[in-house]
Amino acid sequence: DVKVTQSSRYLVKRTGEKVFLECVQDMDHENMFWYRQDPGLGLRLIYFSYDVKMKEKGDIPEGYSVSREKKERFSLILESASTNQTSMYLCASSLPPPAANTGELFFGEGSRLTVL
Amino acid sequence: GQQVMQIPQYQHVQEGEDFTTYCNSSTTLSNIQWYKQRPGGHPVFLIQLVKSGEVKKQKRLTFQFGEAKKNSSLHITATQTTDVGTYFCAGPHFGNEKLTFGTGTRLTIIP
């Protein structure tokens, strides 16, 4: 079974702190994603990566950056945490799909971040 | 920008009643996926539809993809307590492999 592991289930940080959220997948997936989930807004894509050292902005990249130095690991970085970044963060991975399809996403358990 | 809306946002049903959630995209989708998220859990893939007008069934769940590939629905027959959770649709847009998720429908079951 595919396993996507997020390093922290719960974090509490202070405004202005630098925050690292780590995600590791064990199925050699090329694609990795970071989403945030907020009530009433669904899942919104922050950043994604199709290959090592490759990254592309999603729909809400402001205030975030990412790092993908190894294929299995995709990190989300909040350079200076703010209260509006309090949220559930979900990491996902997928294989490149055949034409007309989109790869099924495998999600981690999520990291609930509270910024005070 | 790309928008994928779902209705209703919440649905409370008596156990044994049917349930339907609807998904509408502002643009044409090359395919659509459905996910289920149990309370306290993470989204889990249910199914993908690719063809215009496609209908797929998984036991009590029936998934449809609209003829214009801009809408989809999930229908659950005779709900059970195990159906509790939030159901999300998600779709890429032509030329774009990023998945845009719908806002989700939270289903609660009254025993």
Short mmCIF file of all heavy atoms in Angstrom, two decimals, chain B residues 57-81:
data_model
loop_
_atom_site.label_atom_id
_atom_site.label_comp_id
_atom_site.label_asym_id
_atom_site.label_seq_id
_atom_site.Cartn_x
_atom_site.Cartn_y
_atom_site.Cartn_z
N LYS B 57 -20.93 2.43 -11.04
CA LYS B 57 -21.51 2.05 -9.76
C LYS B 57 -20.50 1.31 -8.91
O LYS B 57 -19.71 0.50 -9.40
CB LYS B 57 -22.75 1.17 -9.98
CG LYS B 57 -23.91 1.90 -10.63
CD LYS B 57 -25.19 1.08 -10.58
CE LYS B 57 -26.35 1.89 -11.13
NZ LYS B 57 -27.65 1.18 -10.99
N GLN B 58 -20.56 1.59 -7.61
CA GLN B 58 -19.81 0.86 -6.61
C GLN B 58 -20.80 0.51 -5.51
O GLN B 58 -21.10 1.32 -4.65
CB GLN B 58 -18.67 1.70 -6.01
CG GLN B 58 -17.52 1.99 -6.93
CD GLN B 58 -16.45 2.83 -6.26
OE1 GLN B 58 -16.65 3.38 -5.17
NE2 GLN B 58 -15.30 2.96 -6.90
N LYS B 59 -21.34 -0.70 -5.56
CA LYS B 59 -22.32 -1.15 -4.58
C LYS B 59 -23.47 -0.14 -4.51
O LYS B 59 -24.21 0.03 -5.47
CB LYS B 59 -21.66 -1.37 -3.23
CG LYS B 59 -20.60 -2.46 -3.24
CD LYS B 59 -20.01 -2.71 -1.87
CE LYS B 59 -18.96 -3.81 -1.95
NZ LYS B 59 -18.32 -4.06 -0.63
N ARG B 60 -23.64 0.55 -3.40
CA ARG B 60 -24.76 1.49 -3.26
C ARG B 60 -24.46 2.89 -3.80
O ARG B 60 -25.31 3.77 -3.76
CB ARG B 60 -25.14 1.60 -1.78
CG ARG B 60 -25.70 0.31 -1.19
CD ARG B 60 -26.00 0.46 0.30
NE ARG B 60 -24.78 0.69 1.08
CZ ARG B 60 -24.43 1.86 1.56
NH1 ARG B 60 -25.19 2.92 1.39
NH2 ARG B 60 -23.31 1.98 2.26
N LEU B 61 -23.26 3.10 -4.33
CA LEU B 61 -22.86 4.42 -4.83
C LEU B 61 -22.94 4.44 -6.35
O LEU B 61 -22.45 3.53 -7.02
CB LEU B 61 -21.43 4.74 -4.39
CG LEU B 61 -21.20 5.28 -2.99
CD1 LEU B 61 -21.64 4.31 -1.90
CD2 LEU B 61 -19.74 5.67 -2.80
N THR B 62 -23.57 5.49 -6.89
CA THR B 62 -23.66 5.67 -8.34
C THR B 62 -23.07 7.03 -8.69
O THR B 62 -23.48 8.06 -8.13
CB THR B 62 -25.11 5.61 -8.83
OG1 THR B 62 -25.67 4.34 -8.48
CG2 THR B 62 -25.17 5.78 -10.35
N PHE B 63 -22.12 7.02 -9.61
CA PHE B 63 -21.42 8.23 -10.03
C PHE B 63 -21.79 8.52 -11.48
O PHE B 63 -21.82 7.63 -12.32
CB PHE B 63 -19.90 8.04 -9.94
CG PHE B 63 -19.41 7.67 -8.56
CD1 PHE B 63 -19.42 6.33 -8.16
CD2 PHE B 63 -18.93 8.62 -7.69
CE1 PHE B 63 -18.96 5.96 -6.91
CE2 PHE B 63 -18.46 8.26 -6.44
CZ PHE B 63 -18.49 6.95 -6.05
N GLN B 64 -22.06 9.82 -11.76
CA GLN B 64 -22.37 10.23 -13.13
C GLN B 64 -21.51 11.39 -13.55
O GLN B 64 -21.21 12.28 -12.74
CB GLN B 64 -23.84 10.64 -13.23
CG GLN B 64 -24.82 9.50 -13.19
CD GLN B 64 -26.23 9.96 -13.53
OE1 GLN B 64 -26.78 10.80 -12.83
NE2 GLN B 64 -26.81 9.43 -14.58
N PHE B 65 -21.14 11.42 -14.82
CA PHE B 65 -20.41 12.53 -15.42
C PHE B 65 -21.29 13.12 -16.50
O PHE B 65 -21.79 12.40 -17.37
CB PHE B 65 -19.10 12.03 -16.02
CG PHE B 65 -18.05 13.07 -16.27
CD1 PHE B 65 -18.16 14.36 -15.77
CD2 PHE B 65 -16.91 12.76 -16.99
CE1 PHE B 65 -17.17 15.31 -15.98
CE2 PHE B 65 -15.91 13.69 -17.21
CZ PHE B 65 -16.03 14.98 -16.71
N GLY B 66 -21.52 14.41 -16.46
CA GLY B 66 -22.45 15.05 -17.37
C GLY B 66 -22.02 15.00 -18.83
O GLY B 66 -20.83 14.85 -19.13
N GLU B 67 -23.01 15.16 -19.70
CA GLU B 67 -22.74 15.09 -21.15
C GLU B 67 -21.75 16.19 -21.58
O GLU B 67 -20.92 15.97 -22.46
CB GLU B 67 -24.05 15.24 -21.93
CG GLU B 67 -25.03 14.10 -21.77
CD GLU B 67 -24.56 12.81 -22.43
OE1 GLU B 67 -23.66 12.88 -23.31
OE2 GLU B 67 -25.07 11.72 -22.07
N ALA B 68 -21.86 17.35 -20.98
CA ALA B 68 -20.97 18.46 -21.33
C ALA B 68 -19.66 18.43 -20.55
O ALA B 68 -18.82 19.32 -20.73
CB ALA B 68 -21.69 19.78 -21.09
N LYS B 69 -19.50 17.45 -19.68
CA LYS B 69 -18.29 17.29 -18.86
C LYS B 69 -18.03 18.53 -18.00
O LYS B 69 -16.88 18.94 -17.79
CB LYS B 69 -17.08 16.95 -19.73
CG LYS B 69 -17.28 15.69 -20.57
CD LYS B 69 -16.06 15.29 -21.36
CE LYS B 69 -15.10 14.50 -20.51
NZ LYS B 69 -13.99 13.90 -21.29
N LYS B 70 -19.11 19.13 -17.51
CA LYS B 70 -18.97 20.27 -16.59
C LYS B 70 -19.66 20.00 -15.26
O LYS B 70 -19.61 20.82 -14.37
CB LYS B 70 -19.55 21.54 -17.23
CG LYS B 70 -18.77 22.03 -18.44
CD LYS B 70 -19.36 23.29 -19.01
CE LYS B 70 -19.09 24.49 -18.13
NZ LYS B 70 -19.54 25.76 -18.77
N ASN B 71 -20.33 18.85 -15.16
CA ASN B 71 -20.98 18.54 -13.89
C ASN B 71 -20.95 17.05 -13.63
O ASN B 71 -20.75 16.23 -14.55
CB ASN B 71 -22.41 19.07 -13.86
CG ASN B 71 -23.24 18.51 -14.98
OD1 ASN B 71 -23.63 17.34 -14.96
ND2 ASN B 71 -23.52 19.33 -15.97
N SER B 72 -21.15 16.71 -12.36
CA SER B 72 -21.12 15.32 -11.95
C SER B 72 -21.98 15.16 -10.71
O SER B 72 -22.32 16.15 -10.03
CB SER B 72 -19.68 14.89 -11.65
OG SER B 72 -19.62 13.53 -11.26
N SER B 73 -22.36 13.92 -10.42
CA SER B 73 -23.14 13.67 -9.21
C SER B 73 -22.73 12.34 -8.60
O SER B 73 -22.22 11.44 -9.29
CB SER B 73 -24.64 13.66 -9.51
OG SER B 73 -24.98 12.60 -10.36
N LEU B 74 -22.94 12.28 -7.29
CA LEU B 74 -22.74 11.04 -6.53
C LEU B 74 -24.04 10.75 -5.80
O LEU B 74 -24.53 11.62 -5.06
CB LEU B 74 -21.58 11.21 -5.54
CG LEU B 74 -21.54 10.25 -4.34
CD1 LEU B 74 -21.45 8.81 -4.78
CD2 LEU B 74 -20.38 10.61 -3.42
N HIS B 75 -24.59 9.59 -6.00
CA HIS B 75 -25.85 9.19 -5.36
C HIS B 75 -25.59 7.96 -4.52
O HIS B 75 -25.00 6.99 -5.00
CB HIS B 75 -26.91 8.90 -6.42
CG HIS B 75 -28.22 8.47 -5.85
ND1 HIS B 75 -29.15 9.37 -5.38
CD2 HIS B 75 -28.75 7.24 -5.66
CE1 HIS B 75 -30.21 8.71 -4.93
NE2 HIS B 75 -29.99 7.43 -5.09
N ILE B 76 -26.03 8.01 -3.26
CA ILE B 76 -25.91 6.86 -2.37
C ILE B 76 -27.32 6.36 -2.07
O ILE B 76 -28.18 7.13 -1.61
CB ILE B 76 -25.19 7.19 -1.06
CG1 ILE B 76 -23.80 7.73 -1.35
CG2 ILE B 76 -25.09 5.94 -0.18
CD1 ILE B 76 -23.01 8.15 -0.09
N THR B 77 -27.56 5.11 -2.33
CA THR B 77 -28.86 4.49 -2.07
C THR B 77 -28.86 3.87 -0.67
O THR B 77 -27.89 3.23 -0.28
CB THR B 77 -29.14 3.39 -3.11
OG1 THR B 77 -29.06 3.96 -4.42
CG2 THR B 77 -30.50 2.77 -2.91
N ALA B 78 -29.94 4.10 0.05
CA ALA B 78 -30.11 3.48 1.38
C ALA B 78 -28.88 3.68 2.25
O ALA B 78 -28.14 2.73 2.57
CB ALA B 78 -30.44 1.99 1.22
N THR B 79 -28.68 4.92 2.68
CA THR B 79 -27.47 5.26 3.44
C THR B 79 -27.33 4.42 4.70
O THR B 79 -28.31 4.00 5.33
CB THR B 79 -27.48 6.74 3.83
OG1 THR B 79 -28.70 7.03 4.52
CG2 THR B 79 -27.35 7.64 2.62
N GLN B 80 -26.06 4.21 5.06
CA GLN B 80 -25.71 3.51 6.30
C GLN B 80 -24.78 4.40 7.11
O GLN B 80 -24.20 5.35 6.57
CB GLN B 80 -25.01 2.19 5.97
CG GLN B 80 -25.87 1.24 5.14
CD GLN B 80 -25.12 -0.02 4.71
OE1 GLN B 80 -23.94 -0.19 5.01
NE2 GLN B 80 -25.82 -0.90 4.01
N THR B 81 -24.62 4.08 8.38
CA THR B 81 -23.77 4.93 9.24
C THR B 81 -22.33 4.98 8.74
O THR B 81 -21.62 5.95 8.98
CB THR B 81 -23.79 4.44 10.69
OG1 THR B 81 -23.44 3.05 10.72
CG2 THR B 81 -25.20 4.60 11.29
#
